[in-house]
Amino acid sequence: MTSPSFALFETALGACGIVWRGGDVLGVVLPEADAAKTRERLGKRFPEAREADPPAEVGRGAEAIVALLAGGKIDLSGIALDLGSVPEFDRRVYEIARTIPPGETLTYGEIARRVGTLADARAVGQALWRNPWPIIVPCHRVLAASGRTGGFSAPGGVDTKLRILTIEARHAAAAPGLFADLPLAAKPRRPR
């Protein structure tokens, strides 16, 4: 089996890293304080990976991440992931999370119900905590009950999660609101 490779790429959040073998992505690392720290984190998570230019399909995936984090409404579900070492439960959680469009969210409990079996919100949260592909598997779009943010295991924690959700909220802002189709209850009166 060939050794994995990695590349850093600049985004609106800072230097991200992407790791691949062949054309499949093994992992994504969100920005640390600077590119050197991101490279160091990559080295810890993927010690056998060597820096290289990505193949075309991986390069297109990195470009799509850049566009999403710049505010584009980009679908990352076509990026090929190496799921070989991912447990079946986690795989099912990731498949559901990948269906959440930019600007939208689900709760841990909603994903648990969709996974079925004996899944609970905590098990979903643990699977997302192990997510090797933040952004591509959009764990940032999964919230705790009552709209609370829940956790986020990437650098910057919940602050990073909120930054990404804020970028993606631009998509939701263009959508009609809950009361958009209702007529006004009372029209302003003109003075007589």
Side-chain angles (χ1 to χ4, degrees):
M1 184 177 286
T2 61
S3 294
S5 300
F6 77 90
L8 297 183
F9 57 98
E10 283 298 323
T11 72
L13 298 179
C16 287
I18 191 164
V19 181
W20 70 91
R21 181 180 292 121
D24 294 342
V25 177
L26 293 169
V28 171
V29 174
L30 293 180
E32 294 281 351
D34 58 44
K37 287 189 179 3
T38 301
R39 186 176 278 107
E40 183 180 323
R41 181 177 171 115
L42 272 166
K44 288 178 182 173
R45 279 192 53 204
F46 301 95
E48 68 283 2
R50 299 293 170 245
E51 196 160 3
D53 291 328
E57 60 272 22
V58 174
R60 284 190 296 274
E63 290 169 4
I65 293 169
V66 170
L68 178 77
L69 292 175
K73 188 169 185 172
I74 306 296
D75 178 8
L76 304 178
S77 65
I79 297 174
L81 304 177
D82 182 334
L83 296 165
S85 63
V86 176
E88 181 60 30
F89 177 79
D90 292 11
R91 189 180 298 205
R92 290 172 59 202
V93 169
Y94 301 160
E95 287 170 0
I96 294 166
R98 288 186 89 182
T99 68
I100 308 168
E104 296 183 27
T105 60
L106 288 176
T107 66
Y108 297 103
E110 288 170 322
I111 291 179
R113 283 189 288 284
R114 291 181 186 188
V115 168
T117 65
L118 298 176
D120 67 4
R122 277 179 295 233
V124 169
Q126 290 169 353
L128 291 172
W129 181 80
R130 291 185 294 270
N131 175 14
W133 308 280
I135 301 295
I136 296 174
V137 173
C139 50
H140 62 280
R141 296 181 192 149
V142 183
L143 303 175
S146 303
R148 293 187 323 265
T149 58
F152 196 57
S153 61
V158 173
D159 288 342
T160 299
K161 182 175 190 169
L162 291 173
R163 285 180 68 196
I164 298 168
L165 288 172
T166 299
I167 291 167
E168 292 184 349
R170 296 176 195 155
H171 309 302
L178 178 62
F179 302 107
D181 293 332
L182 297 177
L184 294 176
K187 296 188 184 217
R189 294 185 186 199
R190 292 187 184 177
R192 292 186 181 180

